[in-house]
Amino acid sequence: MAYTSKINAVVSAKCPRCRRGDLFKNSMYGFAPQKMYENCPHCGLRYEIEPGYFYAAMYVGYAINVALGVTVGFATYFITQEDQSPWIYIIVILLASVLLAPLNFRYSRVILLHWLSPKIKYIKDYDYD
Ligand SMILES: [Zn+2]
């Protein structure tokens, strides 16, 4: 029997305990708001382990956004060296931030559950088909 690697579980946004069940009901991009399962459809783990637990994901999302803004800002600087209008930076960074918001929302929760939640442990016995 093959176990699921952590990196595969993170990239495909799977449950941190069994690495099998999906965290989200719908796909990453689309106009519908993203919906999360309350419990893992495979092992039954309750994702929101404490009330308001996902407020913490906002801090992760904020960190991701800052890293994104810095990266995109530097990329803009190196691509448009002639044009130093601050509006270029504002528009490009805001656009990247808005376009990647669904990704940010999703992965801030994935990172929170997989790396910042010591109460949730991977249990091999749940990692079966
Ligand atoms: Zn699970």
Side-chain angles (χ1 to χ4, degrees), residues 14-22 40-45 47 126:
K14 299 290 185 189
C15 166
R17 187 164 74 173
C18 64
R19 297 182 183 171
R20 292 277 167 165
D22 288 329
C40 172
H42 185 76
C43 73
L45 171 72
Y47 292 138
Y126 289 122

Side-chain angles (χ1 to χ4, degrees), residues 3 11 15 17-18 23 29 38 42 45 55 73-74 85 89 91 103 112 119:
Y3 293 115
V11 169
C15 166
R17 187 164 74 173
C18 64
L23 287 172
Y29 284 94
E38 278 200 13
H42 185 76
L45 171 72
Y55 279 109
F74 273 106
S85 162
Y89 292 97
I91 291 166
L103 195 89
L112 176 71
K119 282 185 190 170

Side-chain angles (χ1 to χ4, degrees), residues 100-114:
L100 295 175
L103 195 89
N104 189 337
F105 178 86
R106 180 165 294 223
Y107 283 100
S108 59
R109 290 181 175 212
V110 170
I111 289 168
L112 176 71
L113 287 174
H114 276 269

